[in-house]
């Protein structure tokens, strides 16, 4: 089975711009979660989508949003970029078969905001 | 609420010697616990997970962890370190029934000396 894929792998943007990141989960997985990783804050949960609905949300401003399509692929969008948004954004998918589910992570998208 | 504390930000060992990475958790519910590893510029790979079936959990690449409820600990061990083990390791907790929202520790950077 192919793993979680994320595109693009690297992005450079300037302050004030917006960006869209894409995630394709493992085939058959319906849950997709997003995480932000920075040296200062570590790994933080952004949100989780299941069957095209946001099911959980972390403590991030409304500039961070996402969506999920009927094929379970997910996108996250960051509007009005700030320097502090520079981070590795990781996507993870799971089969959502129960509470002991494992999340499988993609390689991440490295976003640099100048 | 749930949280994870990784007691060492950096650990150095010599190749062929044992590895011990320490993790304490706090959870109001019965937790699921995970160890993930991240190699440079890569995503997160699952090493092992605890889901209450057995307190001693064996993972990939010779790693194992023991769940000790009385000590609220979930330390990661390996009998003999290999150069390829050099990476960052994350202890992760999720609340039973909500496995899709993970709370990460701050990470332990493992260095393996020749």
């Amino acid at each position: 089975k192919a793993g979680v894929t994320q595109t693009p792998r690297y992005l450079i943007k300037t302050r004030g711009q917006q960006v869209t990141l894409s995630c394709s989960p493992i085939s058959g997985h319906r849950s997709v979660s997003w995480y932000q990783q920075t040296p200062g804050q570590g790994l933080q949960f952004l949100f989780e989508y299941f069957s095209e609905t946001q099911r959980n949300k972390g403590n991030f401003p409304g500039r961070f949003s996402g969506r999920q399509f009927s094929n379970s692929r997910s996108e996250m969008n960051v509007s009005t970029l700030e320097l502090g948004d520079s981070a590795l954004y990781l996507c993870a998918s799971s089969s959502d078969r129960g509470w002991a589910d494992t999340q499988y992570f993609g390689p991440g998208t490295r976003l640099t905001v100048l | 609420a749930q949280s994870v504390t990784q007691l060492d930000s950096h650990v150095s060992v010599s190749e062929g010697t044992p590895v011990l990475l320490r993790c304490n958790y706090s959870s109001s519910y019965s937790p699921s616990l995970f160890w993930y590893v991240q190699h440079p510029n890569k995503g997160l790979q699952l090493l092992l997970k605890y889901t209450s079936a057995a307190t001693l959990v064996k993972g990939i690449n010779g790693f194992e962890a023991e769940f000790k409820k009385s000590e609220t600990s979930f330390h990661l061990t390996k009998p003999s370190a290999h150069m390829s083990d050099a990476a960052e390791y994350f202890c992760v907790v999720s609340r039973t029934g909500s496995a899709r929202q993970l709370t990460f520790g701050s990470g332990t950077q493992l260095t393996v000396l020749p």
Side-chain angles (χ1 to χ4, degrees):
Chain A
K1 248 187 203 183
V4 178
T5 58
Q6 292 186 246
T7 56
R9 291 293 311 279
Y10 300 91
L11 263 179
I12 299 176
K13 293 286 187 179
T14 56
R15 278 183 302 172
Q17 288 187 309
Q18 75 165 22
V19 68
T20 299
L21 313 181
S22 181
C23 171
S24 293
I26 291 172
S27 177
H29 285 189
R30 298 189 298 166
S31 168
V32 174
S33 298
W34 289 88
Y35 295 84
Q36 182 197 62
Q37 185 177 24
T38 60
Q41 300 298 319
L43 275 147
Q44 295 181 285
F45 172 76
L46 279 156
F47 30 64
E48 184 235 353
Y49 285 86
F50 178 78
S51 291
E52 303 178 61
T53 301
Q54 187 180 87
R55 189 159 63 172
N56 281 312
K57 189 176 189 307
N59 189 26
F60 277 81
R63 300 185 297 107
F64 291 81
S65 63
R67 60 177 175 168
Q68 187 179 34
F69 302 94
S70 58
N71 62 357
S72 294
R73 189 176 71 85
S74 176
E75 291 181 346
M76 68 164 280
N77 185 275
V78 188
S79 63
T80 319
L81 283 166
E82 301 176 0
L83 295 179
D85 297 333
S86 294
L88 180 67
Y89 290 88
L90 292 164
C91 163
S93 74
S94 69
S95 59
D96 197 52
R97 278 200 299 258
W99 61 270
D101 262 355
T102 296
Q103 290 195 27
Y104 296 91
F105 285 81
T109 294
R110 173 78 60 184
L111 172 64
T112 302
V113 182
L114 302 176
Chain B
Q2 56 198 28
S3 65
V4 170
T5 301
Q6 291 186 241
L7 300 169
D8 307 292
S9 58
H10 291 87
V11 169
S12 286
V13 300
S14 296
E15 191 175 21
T17 64
V19 175
L20 170 64
L21 305 184
R22 299 182 294 164
C23 171
N24 287 348
Y25 71 92
S26 171
S27 178
S28 304
Y29 303 85
S30 297
S32 294
L33 293 159
F34 307 79
W35 277 98
Y36 281 87
V37 61
Q38 187 176 33
H39 288 91
N41 300 313
K42 296 285 180 67
L44 293 155
Q45 180 185 20
L46 178 70
L47 280 177
L48 49 81
K49 69 178 182 181
Y50 165 76
T51 58
S52 83
T55 56
L56 183 62
V57 183
K58 293 189 184 300
I60 62 170
N61 301 334
F63 285 95
E64 62 181 40
E66 186 171 9
F67 174 74
K68 292 187 176 180
K69 187 174 181 180
S70 61
E71 299 175 12
T72 61
S73 69
F74 190 57
H75 301 335
L76 181 71
T77 61
K78 182 174 181 178
S80 175
H82 191 272
M83 296 297 289
S84 61
D85 295 328
E88 188 152 24
Y89 292 78
F90 293 93
C91 182
V92 183
V93 64
S94 73
R95 197 182 82 183
T96 304
S98 182
R100 296 159 300 278
Q101 182 170 347
L102 305 179
T103 300
F104 285 80
S106 55
T108 298
Q109 184 67 48
L110 176 65
T111 299
V112 182
L113 305 170

